[in-house]
Amino acid sequence: MNYTLHQLQIFLKITELKSITKASEALFLSQPAVSIQLKKFQDQFSIPLTEVVGRQLYVTDFGQEIAEAAEKILNEVQAINYKTLSYKGQVAGRLKISVVSTGKYVMPYFLSDFTNKHRGVDLNMDVTNKQSVVKSLEKNEVDFSLVSVVPDQLSLERVELMANKLYLVGGTKGKFNRNVSKKKIFENYPMLYRENGSATRNAMESFIASHHIDTPKRMELTSNEALKQAVIAGLGYSIMPIIGIKNELKNGDLQIIPYKDLPIVTTWNLVWQKSKNLSPTALAYLDFIKAEKARIIEENFAWYDQY
């Protein structure tokens, strides 16, 4: 056996993505280069690692076992690199964070200074829906999660980061009659919702229910970006977090429609399991957040105060 760490890395990525093309894109390598390394790796085993049925690549049972071993080897190599940097007095290690979809407009600003200062930190940030974020916390797959509504079924610690404001928003292409009660917007125009389980949808539904508003016309979209584009196009109105529509407000593509008891204000929270044994890297990040969050908010989110 004379395989290289590079070959292990390529093979592991292929097994994760089930595609040579996708693996080459993820590793920033050409497709022929990945194919060549896969063949060289396969040549060292008498049992097939992968097989192609139709045009789909499948990993054999043997290949899956080799992939699991490869992951352990690569993790050990990474641990050696982290220890080397730690002995030099540098913060080094893996930092894993899951973020609800709207949080992608928030979390990078609370990470960039930390990762730029500590080059030995490998960041893994998964932007997904609320249900997946909660599941990643339950399974202890991440160090931290960013949520606007703290799940009450888990025992969590948290640091409050900043306010999350949700407004009634419409596009600027169509004009509604300003002399008519704004409640008619909900009754006469389609209301656009995120998918079930979304914290934004829950906040919107709670507001509508508490104010006894009828919304006979409803549409559902499964991403914040799709919802935003639909509102811009004039498909309807929605209650949306302002954090994701800064540029659209500035460009005049969207408008905030003043409405009684809006905005809805929640809080972005960085949360983690109380029972979790945080790594030195995670502890260093927590110290950074507590010390720097006020500065980060002032430098990047002062525009909030305009609304």
Side-chain angles (χ1 to χ4, degrees):
M1 294 291 178
N2 193 30
Y3 47 78
T4 66
L5 293 175
H6 184 53
Q7 288 170 350
L8 291 177
Q9 183 185 33
I10 288 174
F11 179 66
L12 184 58
K13 187 59 67 175
I14 290 171
T15 63
E16 289 173 359
L17 300 177
K18 306 294 189 297
S19 165
I20 291 175
T21 301
K22 291 179 180 179
S24 65
E25 292 172 353
L27 295 169
F28 302 100
L29 296 170
S30 69
Q31 186 172 330
V34 170
S35 297
I36 289 169
Q37 292 304 317
L38 175 61
K39 184 179 185 305
K40 288 182 177 179
F41 189 59
Q42 173 64 78
D43 287 345
Q44 298 178 73
F45 301 92
S46 59
I47 304 173
L49 300 170
T50 62
E51 58 184 356
V52 177
V53 179
R55 300 184 65 181
Q56 178 64 48
L57 182 144
Y58 294 90
V59 182
T60 65
D61 290 343
F62 177 69
Q64 192 59 52
E65 290 189 20
I66 296 301
E68 291 172 4
E71 184 175 22
K72 291 177 182 177
I73 292 169
L74 291 170
N75 284 340
E76 288 299 321
V77 171
Q78 202 166 43
I80 291 171
N81 294 335
Y82 294 153
K83 287 176 183 177
T84 302
L85 290 170
S86 296
Y87 269 95
K88 292 179 179 179
Q90 300 178 30
V91 175
R94 186 174 296 172
L95 185 65
K96 299 184 71 174
I97 300 177
S98 59
V99 179
V100 293
S101 57
T102 311
K104 64 178 176 284
Y105 302 109
V106 177
M107 200 67 227
Y109 294 96
F110 289 91
L111 286 164
S112 59
D113 287 349
F114 181 77
T115 55
N116 287 334
K117 181 179 179 181
H118 304 294
R119 297 292 184 175
V121 172
D122 289 331
L123 174 65
N124 184 323
M125 187 174 80
D126 181 28
V127 180
T128 184
N129 57 46
K130 180 186 174 185
Q131 291 177 338
S132 295
V133 166
V134 172
K135 190 174 293 184
S136 68
L137 280 168
E138 287 177 329
K139 292 185 175 181
N140 196 31
E141 295 173 342
V142 295
D143 298 302
F144 303 105
S145 292
L146 182 72
V147 295
S148 59
V149 178
V150 178
D152 54 14
Q153 70 268 40
L154 300 177
S155 180
L156 301 173
E157 299 280 4
R158 65 174 172 171
V159 173
E160 293 185 357
L161 295 187
M162 57 181 284
N164 179 36
K165 301 179 182 179
L166 294 87
Y167 290 84
L168 178 61
V169 176
T172 53
K173 289 184 178 180
K175 301 293 183 182
F176 62 90
N177 188 343
R178 293 181 180 274
N179 295 321
V180 176
S181 167
K182 290 191 177 72
K183 195 171 184 177
K184 294 292 184 181
I185 293 174
F186 293 92
E187 298 173 356
N188 297 340
Y189 295 91
M191 295 307 299
L192 309 186
Y193 290 77
R194 285 289 305 277
E195 75 282 1
N196 276 322
S198 161
T200 298
R201 177 175 179 140
N202 291 343
M204 183 174 174
E205 288 183 329
S206 294
F207 176 83
I208 288 172
S210 65
H211 287 73
H212 308 290
I213 300 171
D214 289 327
T215 56
K217 302 177 182 179
R218 297 166 63 122
M219 297 183 189
E220 181 178 301
L221 297 98
T222 56
S223 78
N224 208 62
E225 189 61 31
L227 181 64
K228 180 167 62 177
Q229 295 303 322
V231 175
I232 291 173
L235 279 178
Y237 294 81
S238 189
I239 294 177
M240 302 178 65
I242 194 175
I243 192 68
I245 59 173
K246 175 185 176 183
N247 292 334
E248 289 73 18
L249 290 171
K250 184 177 179 181
N251 296 336
D253 294 324
L254 290 175
Q255 60 179 322
I256 289 175
I257 300 165
Y259 198 92
K260 183 182 179 182
D261 297 329
L262 288 177
I264 302 167
V265 181
T266 60
T267 302
W268 288 112
N269 296 276
L270 192 70
V271 300
W272 65 99
Q273 290 267 32
K274 281 186 177 180
S275 59
K276 185 171 182 62
N277 184 20
L278 292 174
S279 68
T281 302
L283 289 170
Y285 180 64
L286 200 54
D287 289 341
F288 166 82
I289 284 295
K290 290 176 179 178
E292 300 293 335
K293 71 172 184 176
R295 174 188 63 80
I296 294 169
I297 293 169
E298 176 62 29
E299 290 180 358
N300 299 287
F301 299 102
W303 62 271
Y304 248 46
D305 297 332
Q306 299 173 30
Y307 301 97

